[in-house]
């Protein structure tokens, strides 16, 4: 709390906090210190973002972070806030903070009270072979699943899907497979060329069971996926992006790690580059990304490509088991919740105009997610697998 930890001591503490040995003594000490503070800490919103990223993802030491962003007095506040948020993260499983000050006078209710809770998504997908037959991968046993066009298809001990090509593919006899994750499921697959792909919920990926040597390696994506593609100048790896609102485009990977979000219920397609390089193309227009950039295909213009510098961790938080929100409004958050918990979202009355930041663990039951949101004045009605966001009366933002 006094910000006197050495880097080695801080590393030891954080390892302890993340371990199963982190007990009530430490949590109670932090809580007591927080409760006995002589004044209420407040941090500007940009400092809240810094501390939030520190807790969830950053490898910076708290000493470096606070020296860079606060005065000595604010250092104490920053450590208090960080400790408070850490307790929330560990005890409650996650947290949100509001970036617009909004007051609601209705008492919060606990969603799903007295009802069976809805559990988070799981690992699972459906594999459709070239002959139209299907395999439910989450219930399939480990080992060989099928053989097609010189490729052995197996489910690994880790539960992912892998292809082992044993014979050279004839360009005239290419067979295509499709892997689909329903809402409430995620899955990992290793393609025939060794490219690893993680599929988010409600996603479809089409690909050949074996790539032709010397030809482009093309796959077709609808939904969201994270790629770790192998570099091969003679056989470039290309992703054709398809949505129902005429937002198609193409991403050519040049040995790289990148994320593509292309859902039908999202207005724009987002391609975020973490490492290497990609070339994004749309209707004859092409742009090259460098790490830390995101390409956006806005729906209002079929050949426009917007480039922005972004926090890449937000784009891939889903793969790491978190929801992350960067100045997002409630509908954007609820679309993610709907896909991951396999629930339909509806709104009664005016949709609350609230902008959220922060994050929360995706492995919590739905009641914990909605309960966190209810603390900020939102109210929900849950029936079967339907979540209705009730209208609320708020003061001016």
């Amino acid at each position: 709390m006094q910000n006197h930890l050495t880097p080695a001591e801080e590393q030891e503490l954080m390892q302890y906090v993340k371990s199963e040995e982190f007990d009530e003594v430490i949590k109670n000490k932090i809580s007591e210190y927080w409760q006995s503070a002589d004044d209420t800490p407040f941090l500007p919103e940009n400092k809240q973002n810094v501390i939030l990223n520190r807790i969830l993802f950053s490898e910076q030491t708290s000493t470096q972070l606070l020296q860079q962003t606060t005065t000595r007095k604010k250092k104490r506040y920053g450590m208090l806030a960080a400790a408070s948020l850490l307790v929330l993260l560990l005890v409650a499983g996650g947290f949100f903070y509001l970036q617009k000050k909004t007051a609601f006078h209705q008492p919060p209710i606990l969603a799903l009270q007295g009802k069976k809770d809805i559990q988070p998504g799981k690992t699972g997908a459906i594999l459709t072979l070239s002959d139209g037959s299907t395999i439910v991968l989450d219930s399939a046993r480990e080992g060989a699943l099928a053989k097609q066009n010189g490729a052995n298809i197996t489910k690994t001990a880790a539960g992912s899907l892998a292809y082992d090509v044993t014979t050279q593919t004839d360009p005239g006899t290419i067979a295509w497979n499709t892997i689909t994750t329903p809402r409430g499921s995620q899955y990992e697959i290793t393609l025939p060329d060794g490219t690893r792909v993680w599929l988010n919920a409600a996603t479809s990926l089409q690909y050949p069971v074996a790539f032709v040597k010397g030809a482009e390696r093309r796959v077709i994506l609808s939904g969201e996926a994270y790629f770790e593609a192998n570099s091969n100048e003679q056989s470039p790896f290309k992703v054709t992006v398809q949505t129902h609102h005429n937002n198609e485009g193409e991403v050519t990977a040049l040995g790289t790690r990148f994320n593509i979000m292309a859902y039908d219920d999202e207005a724009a397609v987002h391609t975020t580059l973490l490492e290497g390089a990609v070339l994004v193309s749309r209707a004859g227009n092409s742009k090259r990304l460098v790490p830390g950039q995101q390409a956006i295909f806005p729906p209002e213009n079929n050949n426009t490509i917007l480039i922005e510098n972004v926090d890449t961790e937000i784009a891939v938080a889903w793969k790491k088991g978190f929801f992350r929100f960067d100045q997002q409004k409630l509908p954007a958050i609820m679309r993610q919740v709907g896909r991951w918990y396999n629930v339909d979202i509806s709104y009664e009355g005016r949709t609350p105009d609230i902008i959220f930041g922060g994050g929360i663990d995706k492995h919590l039951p739905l009641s914990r997610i909605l309960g966190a949101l209810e603390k900020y004045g939102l109210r929900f009605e849950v029936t079967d697998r339907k979540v209705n966001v009730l209208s609320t009366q708020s003061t001016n933002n």
Side-chain angles (χ1 to χ4, degrees):
M1 293 298 182
Q2 295 172 354
N3 199 26
H4 292 162
L5 285 180
T6 66
E9 289 170 337
E10 195 237 15
Q11 182 179 9
E12 181 182 357
L13 173 63
M14 294 310 295
Q15 289 175 345
Y16 181 59
V17 166
K18 295 175 182 178
S19 73
E20 294 181 356
E21 299 177 26
F22 185 75
D23 53 29
E24 294 298 323
V25 175
I26 297 296
K27 285 186 283 189
N28 289 339
K29 287 293 182 185
I30 294 175
S31 179
E32 288 170 8
Y33 192 93
W34 173 249
Q35 295 293 336
S36 63
D38 55 6
D39 47 15
T40 302
F42 171 78
L43 288 170
E45 292 169 4
N46 64 322
K47 302 303 189 296
Q48 292 176 346
N49 275 320
V50 171
I51 288 178
L52 175 68
N53 288 332
R54 157 81 182 111
I55 292 173
L56 286 179
F57 297 105
S58 176
E59 295 180 357
Q60 274 189 293
T61 66
S62 55
T63 302
Q64 292 171 324
L65 180 148
L66 292 168
Q67 285 176 344
Q68 292 169 1
T69 60
T70 60
T71 64
R72 182 173 181 179
K73 182 177 181 180
K74 288 182 180 178
K75 282 184 184 179
R76 175 172 175 268
Y77 291 167
M79 291 300 292
L80 287 170
S84 169
L85 292 175
L86 182 59
V87 170
L88 282 173
L89 184 65
L90 291 165
V91 178
F95 58 89
F96 293 96
Y97 66 85
L98 288 174
Q99 291 183 295
K100 283 187 178 179
K101 303 297 182 291
T102 308
F104 291 90
H105 302 292
Q106 298 158 306
I109 62 172
L110 178 62
L112 291 167
Q113 188 170 13
K115 301 177 183 179
K116 186 176 180 180
D117 212 339
I118 296 176
Q119 297 305 309
K122 56 184 178 62
T123 298
I126 299 171
L127 175 64
T128 303
L129 303 176
S130 59
D131 61 4
S133 59
T134 60
I135 300 173
V136 180
L137 296 173
D138 35 323
S139 60
R141 293 184 177 181
E142 174 189 340
L145 299 178
K147 184 172 183 178
Q148 286 195 312
N149 290 57
N152 294 319
I153 308 171
T154 60
K155 182 177 179 180
T156 69
S160 63
L161 193 66
Y163 285 74
D164 179 22
V165 180
T166 58
T167 60
Q168 180 60 41
T169 301
D170 182 352
T173 60
I174 297 177
W176 286 70
N177 284 182
T178 301
I179 185 170
T180 304
T181 52
R183 295 203 306 170
S185 296
Q186 293 181 183
Y187 206 78
E188 178 187 348
I189 176 176
T190 301
L191 297 177
D193 66 333
T195 294
R196 299 178 68 187
V197 187
W198 287 259
L199 284 74
N200 204 350
T203 296
S204 174
L205 183 72
Q206 301 175 56
Y207 54 92
V209 298
F211 293 104
V212 177
K213 186 176 182 180
E216 66 180 21
R217 298 167 290 158
R218 183 178 295 277
V219 299
I220 303 171
L221 174 71
S222 296
E224 183 169 24
Y226 170 81
F227 295 84
E228 291 184 354
N230 296 327
S231 177
N232 187 332
E233 293 182 1
Q234 286 72 39
S235 301
F237 185 84
K238 296 185 177 183
V239 182
T240 297
V241 180
Q242 290 187 345
T243 65
H244 290 166
H245 43 67
N246 194 28
N247 216 345
E248 289 80 359
E250 182 178 88
V251 177
T252 301
L254 309 174
T256 186
R257 298 189 298 127
F258 61 100
N259 190 86
I260 300 177
M261 192 270 284
Y263 285 111
D264 287 334
D265 58 356
E266 299 288 349
V269 172
H270 295 76
T271 300
T272 308
L273 179 63
L274 284 79
E275 182 181 287
V278 296
L279 185 69
V280 293
S281 304
R282 188 187 190 203
N285 186 17
S286 297
K287 292 188 178 181
R288 187 185 179 103
L289 298 185
V290 299
Q293 289 186 330
Q294 183 179 85
I296 303 171
F297 297 168
E300 62 271 10
N301 192 318
N302 286 339
N303 67 349
T304 298
I305 302 175
L306 304 177
I307 305 296
E308 295 182 355
N309 295 319
V310 297
D311 179 357
T312 58
E313 292 292 350
I314 293 175
V316 298
W318 66 269
K319 175 180 172 289
K320 299 183 178 182
F322 288 93
F323 294 113
R324 281 289 305 275
F325 312 118
D326 180 26
Q327 299 191 29
Q328 290 186 348
K329 291 190 175 183
L330 182 64
I333 294 174
M334 296 308 295
R335 286 195 295 271
Q336 295 184 54
V337 170
R339 287 191 288 263
W340 182 233
Y341 289 89
N342 189 20
V343 292
D344 295 325
I345 308 298
S346 61
Y347 297 85
E348 181 180 303
R350 186 176 73 85
T351 303
D353 185 21
I354 306 173
I355 296 178
F356 286 89
I360 196 164
D361 193 332
K362 287 178 58 177
H363 301 102
L364 299 172
L366 180 62
S367 64
R368 298 283 292 276
I369 305 295
L370 300 184
L373 289 168
E374 285 183 331
K375 292 177 182 178
Y376 298 101
L378 297 169
R379 296 170 70 85
F380 301 93
E381 192 174 71
V382 182
T383 305
D384 297 326
R385 302 200 78 89
K386 297 180 179 180
V387 177
N388 187 26
V389 183
L390 303 179
S391 61
T392 55
Q393 182 178 359
S394 67
T395 61
N396 293 330
N397 290 336

